[in-house]
Amino acid sequence: MTARQVGKAEILSEYRPRPKISVIGAGNVGASVAQYAVERELGDVVLVDVVEGIPQGKALDLAQAGPVHGYDSSLTGSNGYDETANSDIVVITAGLARKPGMTRDDLLFKNAEIVGSVVEEVVKRSKNAILILVTNPLDAMVQLAWKKSGFPAERVIGMAGVLDSARFRTFIAQELQVSVENVTAFVLGGHGDSMVPLPRYSTVTANGGAEIVAFLKSGSAYYAPAASAVEMVEAILKDKKKILPCAAYLNGQYGTKGLYVGVPVKLGRRGVEQIIEIKLHADEQAAFDKSAAAVRELVDKLKL
Ligand code: TXD
């Protein structure tokens, strides 16, 4: 690029604020998403929750870690949505978490109500945002959010595959005593017990989440889920064109139509920029179909 004199007016006219990342639900996952996002200086963060004082307190606490960690992203906590106006990305974690013995599906109706109202508030103020859904049951919640938002499908994405794949990689690395960095793995299908780890099925992986629920007793996993959501945020804001497994809207791909299910996608500034179709073996396709059928059953219950 050739050097040129840039006048002050030109600099001002090119001024762009930092990306705004709103995180709805300032619980375990939401607060960790905020933490990882500011630690990587991906943008300014607005934390929203219904519980008074929680988003404000956590936002202030995280802001005060800034001088130590060396980030200067701004953090705002609120019980309302006005501060989320013109967000680039909205990560939705609001809802109830699984308790021991509870399946993700038990959460369906309660969380549908919460996510529905959140999406309504969010889209009123951020018409061009990309929505990343985290709340369970994930595949049904992302389908609901897509319907409620009226957004194109490429701007409504579910986080599950990155986490499920990270868990798969962790277990393989622990078993083989090698660095997690040397292990790649992919998990397809819905986020639940019918998920399809590739290259081959593993029940250890499918239970990775339940294991943590059993350890923690109150609450479910949140560090790895938050890290996974932030990997998606980063891929989008930095337009990385990164291929990650996400819950995406299928329109015939993988033999499934009109449904959100976990598949590899290319993530960039426009959201889901491409759905990557890998050729499945017959047994993998059968497992995928079974998983998609389980998601459809749940979505049908919502009567969207
Ligand atoms: O892979 C995945 N997608 C997941 C999903 C991995 C981990 C967690 N997963 C699900 O995310 C989990 O089953 C829950 O449905 C959500 C959030 O889990 P988290 O562990 O963060 O739950 P918390 O700590 O209970 O936080 C939820 C917060 C809590 O502070 C509530 O007060 C708030 O959500 N909440 C709301 N905020 C805004 N608006 C409304 N209506 C609302 N209702 C509850």
Side-chain angles (χ1 to χ4, degrees), residues 98 104 167 171 174 203-217 221:
R98 268 198 301 166
R104 293 181 178 93
R167 286 178 169 160
F171 286 134
Q174 284 177 348
T203 49
V204 180
T205 308
N207 292 327
E211 212 176 301
I212 295 169
V213 172
F215 277 133
L216 293 179
K217 302 214 168 50

Side-chain angles (χ1 to χ4, degrees), residues 2-300:
T2 50
R4 65 191 172 105
Q5 201 71 33
V6 183
K8 196 176 176 195
E10 198 173 340
I11 291 174
L12 286 176
S13 72
E14 286 178 359
Y15 173 76
R16 285 225 185 97
R18 280 191 280 212
K20 188 192 275 190
I21 304 160
S22 291
V23 183
I24 318 302
N28 284 334
V29 177
S32 299
V33 166
Q35 179 192 343
Y36 294 148
V38 295
E39 280 177 1
R40 293 198 200 180
E41 288 196 308
L42 296 180
D44 293 332
V45 171
V46 179
L47 258 181
V48 175
D49 202 286
V50 278
V51 182
E52 264 176 51
I54 291 290
Q56 294 87 345
K58 291 191 179 182
L60 185 56
D61 194 3
L62 275 173
Q64 291 170 352
V68 182
H69 270 281
Y71 56 76
D72 57 13
S73 299
S74 93
L75 283 135
T76 310
S78 177
N79 299 116
Y81 285 82
D82 287 346
E83 292 83 349
T84 68
N86 300 316
S87 292
D88 293 277
I89 296 201
V90 181
V91 182
I92 300 177
T93 75
L96 306 179
R98 268 198 301 166
K99 306 258 158 50
M102 203 175 165
T103 70
R104 293 181 178 93
D105 302 357
D106 294 337
L107 297 173
L108 180 68
F109 289 106
K110 189 66 206 148
N111 283 352
E113 203 181 302
I114 293 173
V115 168
S117 69
V118 166
V119 168
E120 216 167 277
E121 294 295 334
V122 160
V123 302
K124 261 192 249 168
R125 296 165 177 88
S126 298
K127 299 208 176 335
N128 299 314
I130 290 175
L131 309 182
I132 298 180
L133 273 292
V134 176
T135 307
N136 271 329
L138 190 274
D139 305 274
M141 291 304 110
V142 64
Q143 184 102 18
L144 169 91
W146 167 66
K147 262 273 156 89
K148 282 254 169 195
S149 65
F151 282 7
E154 63 265 28
R155 285 203 280 121
V156 184
I157 317 165
M159 188 293 290
V162 176
L163 170 65
D164 295 328
S165 301
R167 286 178 169 160
F168 193 23
R169 289 171 65 189
T170 310
F171 286 134
I172 292 171
Q174 284 177 348
E175 207 54 48
L176 300 180
Q177 302 247 314
V178 297
S179 162
V180 286
E181 291 180 24
N182 293 127
V183 182
T184 57
F186 244 90
V187 176
L188 302 180
H191 181 55
D193 299 337
S194 63
M195 68 180 96
V196 189
L198 295 179
R200 61 172 182 268
Y201 188 76
S202 157
T203 49
V204 180
T205 308
N207 292 327
E211 212 176 301
I212 295 169
V213 172
F215 277 133
L216 293 179
K217 302 214 168 50
S218 74
S220 58
Y222 52 99
Y223 293 119
S228 304
V230 171
E231 185 173 26
M232 292 167 63
V233 170
E234 184 170 39
I236 292 167
L237 289 177
K238 294 186 176 170
D239 197 24
K240 286 172 83 85
K241 318 285 187 200
K242 195 167 189 176
I243 295 173
L244 293 171
C246 302
Y249 187 77
L250 298 184
N251 205 4
Q253 298 94 337
Y254 291 94
T256 298
K257 211 174 163 68
L259 195 69
Y260 272 87
V261 193
V263 292
V265 301
K266 191 199 278 180
L267 281 190
R269 194 60 191 84
R270 284 176 288 135
V272 172
E273 299 191 349
Q274 194 188 339
I275 289 179
I276 312 290
E277 279 202 86
I278 48 177
K279 215 161 171 37
L280 298 183
H281 296 156
D283 56 334
E284 292 163 349
Q285 183 67 51
F288 183 91
D289 293 345
K290 192 170 159 229
S291 186
V295 172
R296 196 177 299 272
E297 196 182 312
L298 220 51
V299 166
D300 284 347

